Amino acid sequence: MANVLTKGTTLPTQIVEEMFNAVTGKSSLAKLSGQKPIPFNGTTEFVFALDKEIDIVAENGAKSNGGATVTAKTIRPIKFEYGVRVSDEYLYGTEEYRMDVLRQFAEGAAKKAARGFDIAAMHGFNPRTGTTSAVVNGEDFDHIATANTVTYAAASADANIDAALAMLQDVDATGIAISPAMRNAIAALTVNGARKYPEFAFGAQPANLGAMVLDTNSTVSFGNTQSAGDHAIMGDFENAFRWGYAKEIPLEVIEYGNPDNDATAGDLKGHNQVYLRAEFYIGWAILDGSRFARVTVA
C-alpha cells in the first residue's frame, strides 16, 4: 500500500470495484440499464433502424432491398473528480490506517459519482455548479429525449405516466426513474377514500411499476424550476442507453499549496493536511432518444 502515496498512482482494483458497485446501487441510470467498462479513448455503438418490414420471397423469386439507417454513437469517457483534505497523519499511518482512510474516501466519492452521473446524463449539468456543462455537450436526456413529453400534474401523476408510455409505440419500456415529488403524489392518490397505490404508502419505494424497473431519485428533478425540469424519465434503458467506466482511477496525494482554491482552509502544509484527489472516467450514450419519454414541468 505504500505506493498509493505516490502522485499519479491508481486506486487498488478492489476499491475501484467497490466504488462502482456502490455507483450501480445508487445511480438510477446505472440501476435501470446494464453497464460495461469502456476503453479510455471511448467506444462506438452502431444503431440500426431498419426501414421496411421483412420480405417473403417465393422460390426463384427476386429479393428487394429493405433499407436501413445506421447511426454511430460514440461513448466517450468524461472526467469527474473529487478531492478532500485529510490530516497529514495519513502519510505516516500504518497500512491498515491508510487503507481505512482510502475506503472511507472511496465510499463517499462513489455516492457522489452515482449522483453526478445521473445529473450529467439526465440534464447535462455540471453537478457541482448546477449549470449546463459544455463537456457533456448535449448528450443528456433533456436534450435528446424531446419527442415524447407529458406535462406533470400531481393530481394525475399516474395518468401522466400512462400518457407518456402511450407515446412509446412499438417500444418495450424497461425502466422508469421518478422524482420524490412524483412518488409522493402517487402515494397520495385515493379512490373512494382509500389509497389508490398502497405500495407507495409511508415512504415506500417499490422496485417495479407495472412491467418496468422503478427507481425514485432526487437526481430526476435536479435543477427543476417553475418553467423547466423533469419528474419522470422512462423508456428502453436496456437497449437504447449505454454507460460504462474506465477501470483505472488515478489517485493524487498533494502535500503542498491550496489545490482546492479554498481561501478559508489555506495552505495544506500550514495546517498539517494533505489533499486526496481521485479522477474517474464515466461515459454514456443515448442511442435513440425516441425510445424514451419524459414527464416534465409545465
Side-chain angles (χ1 to χ4, degrees):
M1 280 299 298
N3 64 345
V4 301
L5 301 180
T6 304
K7 178 179 177 180
T9 58
T10 58
L11 285 171
T13 301
Q14 182 181 356
I15 289 183
V16 172
E17 291 174 353
E18 290 173 1
M19 285 182 70
F20 278 95
N21 284 339
V23 169
T24 303
K26 295 183 180 297
S27 161
S28 289
L29 294 179
K31 197 177 290 186
L32 299 178
S33 62
Q35 65 85 28
K36 57 184 179 181
I38 56 176
F40 179 81
N41 60 347
T43 187
T44 300
E45 297 275 348
F46 291 96
V47 184
F48 289 82
L50 304 184
D51 301 331
K52 302 176 183 179
E53 298 297 337
I54 197 166
D55 192 18
I56 295 177
V57 182
E59 186 175 356
N60 300 320
K63 302 178 181 69
S64 61
N65 179 26
T69 302
V70 182
T71 305
K73 296 284 286 189
T74 300
I75 305 176
R76 58 184 180 84
I78 291 178
K79 183 198 296 185
F80 292 79
E81 70 85 21
Y82 200 87
V84 63
R85 291 174 179 245
V86 299
S87 168
D88 63 3
E89 293 177 3
Y90 174 82
L91 293 173
Y92 313 110
T94 64
E95 180 178 337
E96 182 180 359
Y97 172 77
R98 293 198 303 272
M99 179 60 81
D100 184 57
V101 171
L102 279 185
R103 288 193 183 282
Q104 291 185 51
F105 173 60
E107 181 181 348
K111 293 177 182 177
K112 294 299 183 182
R115 182 171 172 79
F117 167 43
D118 274 8
I119 291 168
M122 287 178 177
H123 313 297
F125 293 151
N126 179 334
R128 186 166 298 176
T129 64
T131 57
T132 299
S133 169
V135 178
V136 175
N137 195 31
E139 185 62 40
D140 59 90
F141 283 93
D142 284 1
H143 286 91
I144 292 178
T146 56
N148 308 309
T149 61
V150 172
T151 300
Y152 174 71
S156 55
D158 56 346
N160 292 163
I161 294 173
D162 277 339
L165 288 172
M167 294 179 172
L168 299 177
Q169 298 182 12
D170 299 323
V171 175
D172 292 327
T174 61
I176 177 171
I178 63 175
S179 68
M182 175 169 264
R183 193 220 70 82
N184 294 339
I186 293 173
L189 295 175
T190 59
V191 177
N192 298 325
R195 288 186 184 270
K196 193 173 183 180
Y197 302 100
E199 65 271 27
F200 283 85
F202 304 112
Q205 299 186 28
N208 297 92
L209 185 64
M212 298 180 291
V213 177
L214 169 67
D215 194 47
T216 302
N217 201 320
S218 63
T219 56
V220 177
S221 52
F222 182 88
N224 278 12
T225 66
Q226 291 184 344
S227 59
D230 296 322
H231 281 291
I233 302 172
M234 67 200 78
D236 186 5
F237 286 96
E238 289 187 4
N239 300 299
F241 180 75
R242 295 285 186 273
W243 82 281
Y245 61 91
K247 290 182 177 180
E248 292 190 346
I249 299 181
L251 173 70
E252 190 173 12
V253 181
I254 304 172
E255 300 180 44
Y256 304 96
N258 188 3
D260 52 0
N261 299 302
D262 191 324
T264 302
D267 180 76
L268 291 171
K269 200 69 173 177
H271 291 81
N272 299 315
Q273 297 172 333
V274 295
Y275 194 78
L276 301 181
R277 174 181 285 148
E279 296 179 345
F280 37 98
Y281 296 83
I282 303 175
W284 66 87
I286 302 164
L287 303 182
D288 185 353
S290 68
R291 298 184 72 82
F292 296 93
R294 295 185 295 130
V295 178
T296 63
V297 176

